[in-house]
Amino acid sequence: MKKRLFLSATMLAVAALSSVSAIAQTNTFKIGLILPMTGQQATTGRQIEAAARLYMAQNGDNVAGKKIELIVKDDTSVPDVTRRLAQELIVNDKVNVLAGFGITPSAFATAPLATQSKTPMVVMAAATSSITQASPYIVRTSFTLAQAAVAMGDWAPKNGIKKVVTLVSDYGPGIDAEKYFKERLTFNGGQVAESLRVPLRNPDFAPFLQKVRDLKPDALFVFVPSGAGAAVMKQFLERGMDKAGIKLIGTGDVTDDDQLNDMGDGALGVVTSHHYSAAHPSALNKKFVEAFGKANKGLRPNFMAVGGYDGMRVIYEALKITKGKGGGEALLAAMKGQIFESPRGPMFIDAQTRDVVQNIYLRKVERKGGQLYNVEFDVIKDVKDPGKEK
Ligand code: PHB
């Protein structure tokens, strides 16, 4: 009798516990944020995590009756690690959304898992055009290199830059930048004298820059991923390329706001095309930059931060629209077509492509209030990813 009583009491306790955890389960909404927090892309992880936490601090962690839980994992920007972490987040943590993805290979490694598990995957950083085609569950809040590079291919030849050498990191986004810049430059009467590609990991720019010097182009067009820009700038100046009359141009990754202020006066005058500058003159951006700095010991947000901040917005809104009741399919549907003002300017998630449509700005490095900024001087409005048109 005693034993039976004990057993049923235990069973009751177990049943009670599991129903508590079932409630906890259904009342939490988990976001698995996979980022490079260490290694070569660590600045990307630091920026996006800080932006995601800022968004949560400003908007609360209670949405549509759910408690938002952010689970941050460091993939060290190794795609096999990204895939393993995504698998664990889906199977063990039962996350509702996957997010982050600092580099293109990490996004590609995870895409099949998003499809199999029907988990929306919000790409906040990686920027190769074809990523969104790797899974119907991918939504992107960063940008594409094709979007940014085309604007530079239009601007350069109209501003006396005809002969250009391109130098890109040898992987997805670099290949896109090279292709779309060259196509547009050539269309506008310019010419690419040589296309150079450097390895993604531990690149040594010196031999490539020597080659550029010998070719004497009007400009060197550069794409390197966020975090590598300062090294390019340093070697470009050390080799006196600017004094030899060669201009530095590129997508805004090279004059990344995370590093720009430490690049020195040599960076002054560098023109780039991109979707975000910390100096974007809107009231919303001023508030964003100020709050981000305040929460992070004066750190300036870069374009990675804004991708993370807007990615959180897209997730929060999807949860509101579905009233906290939808699964992966419903959330995905509610992410498509979102339109809102971002710190970068107006932003739209194209329902067809699940990719971001946004303004691309031409910017020049200037000193403002003692600090170096990418100051916007022209805008191409509502640019769709040109990489989707073919
Ligand atoms: C990418 O790997 O897709 C990537 C990373 C950093 C950037 C741009 C693209 O700045």
Side-chain angles (χ1 to χ4, degrees):
M1 179 65 186
K2 244 187 181 165
K3 197 172 171 194
R4 279 222 334 254
L5 256 179
F6 174 75
L7 258 183
S8 54
T10 316
M11 274 156 70
L12 260 177
V14 168
L17 255 184
S18 60
S19 69
V20 165
S21 79
I23 291 166
Q25 188 86 27
T26 47
N27 278 340
T28 43
F29 183 90
K30 295 184 184 174
I31 303 170
L33 186 61
I34 311 179
L35 293 168
M37 301 305 300
T38 53
Q40 199 172 298
Q41 255 66 45
T43 57
T44 295
R46 177 179 60 163
Q47 287 273 350
I48 294 182
E49 182 185 2
R53 295 209 185 279
L54 176 64
Y55 191 89
M56 291 180 70
Q58 290 175 332
N59 295 277
D61 60 359
N62 240 303
V63 181
K66 301 266 180 182
K67 173 135 176 78
I68 309 267
E69 190 185 328
L70 188 69
I71 308 174
V72 181
K73 299 278 180 189
D74 176 14
D75 69 359
T76 67
S77 82
V78 174
D80 284 345
V81 179
T82 321
R83 187 193 299 114
R84 178 173 58 72
L85 292 172
Q87 177 93 33
E88 288 170 8
L89 285 165
I90 293 166
V91 175
N92 302 342
D93 297 291
K94 305 202 169 27
V95 293
N96 300 86
V97 175
L98 288 167
F101 309 102
I103 57 167
T104 287
S106 293
F108 275 119
T110 308
L113 298 178
T115 308
Q116 283 157 26
S117 64
K118 301 189 193 307
T119 309
M121 172 174 158
V122 179
V123 174
M124 296 170 160
T128 301
S129 285
S130 55
I131 287 174
T132 43
Q133 283 146 6
S135 167
Y137 288 85
I138 291 177
V139 168
R140 175 157 38 203
T141 58
S142 52
F143 76 111
T144 74
L145 268 303
Q147 259 175 346
V150 158
M152 187 45 76
D154 278 335
W155 181 83
K158 289 177 191 144
N159 290 275
I161 296 169
K162 299 282 184 199
K163 181 179 165 187
V164 181
V165 173
T166 61
L167 180 121
V168 302
S169 292
D170 191 6
Y171 77 121
I175 312 293
D176 277 1
E178 179 191 283
K179 175 175 181 238
Y180 287 91
F181 172 74
K182 181 178 180 176
E183 213 171 86
R184 202 53 86 95
L185 182 82
T186 314
F187 175 81
N188 288 311
Q191 171 216 346
V192 170
E194 180 116 21
S195 293
L196 305 172
R197 295 178 182 178
V198 298
L200 171 62
R201 309 276 174 200
N202 308 311
D204 176 11
F205 299 107
F208 295 97
L209 291 176
Q210 189 52 49
K211 192 150 191 202
V212 177
R213 240 198 120 129
D214 297 342
L215 286 161
K216 294 193 177 61
D218 300 324
L220 173 66
F221 170 91
V222 173
F223 164 77
V224 287
S226 181
V232 175
M233 185 70 77
K234 185 163 176 277
Q235 294 196 29
F236 184 86
L237 297 172
E238 273 173 9
R239 289 177 175 265
M241 312 277 285
D242 53 335
K243 303 217 167 59
I246 302 168
K247 291 194 171 69
L248 182 65
I249 57 173
T251 57
D253 310 72
V254 72
T255 54
D256 188 341
D257 270 304
D258 189 82
Q259 297 184 322
L260 177 61
N261 207 24
D262 297 324
M263 289 185 193
D265 282 355
L268 286 169
V270 170
V271 175
T272 55
S273 53
H274 229 210
H275 57 293
Y276 179 68
S277 164
H280 180 64
S282 71
L284 183 69
N285 185 51
K286 283 191 184 128
K287 261 176 63 188
F288 170 65
V289 173
E290 201 180 296
F292 188 93
K294 217 166 167 187
N296 298 284
K297 301 193 180 93
L299 184 67
R300 189 195 288 187
N302 70 357
F303 61 96
M304 293 300 186
V306 90
Y309 192 75
D310 292 340
M312 290 297 283
R313 193 271 182 200
V314 166
I315 296 167
Y316 266 53
E317 281 305 306
L319 189 52
K320 281 186 203 160
I321 293 167
T322 54
K323 301 191 167 58
K325 294 194 174 68
E329 294 278 3
L331 283 170
L332 179 76
M335 289 179 183
K336 294 180 189 177
Q338 284 193 30
I339 184 161
F340 56 98
E341 190 194 353
S342 149
R344 70 185 86 181
M347 153 142 186
F348 169 52
I349 304 292
D350 186 326
Q352 238 75 53
T353 61
R354 291 163 279 103
D355 220 333
V356 51
V357 179
Q358 59 191 334
N359 293 347
I360 297 294
Y361 306 88
L362 286 151
R363 317 96 50 85
K364 185 189 257 178
V365 177
E366 289 176 15
R367 199 169 273 287
K368 263 181 50 182
Q371 300 203 18
L372 296 180
Y373 281 102
N374 294 296
V375 176
E376 296 167 358
F377 63 87
D378 204 357
V379 57
I380 301 104
K381 291 203 167 144
D382 304 328
V383 181
K384 280 189 162 196
D385 174 28
K388 301 279 186 304
E389 284 162 13
K390 301 198 170 77

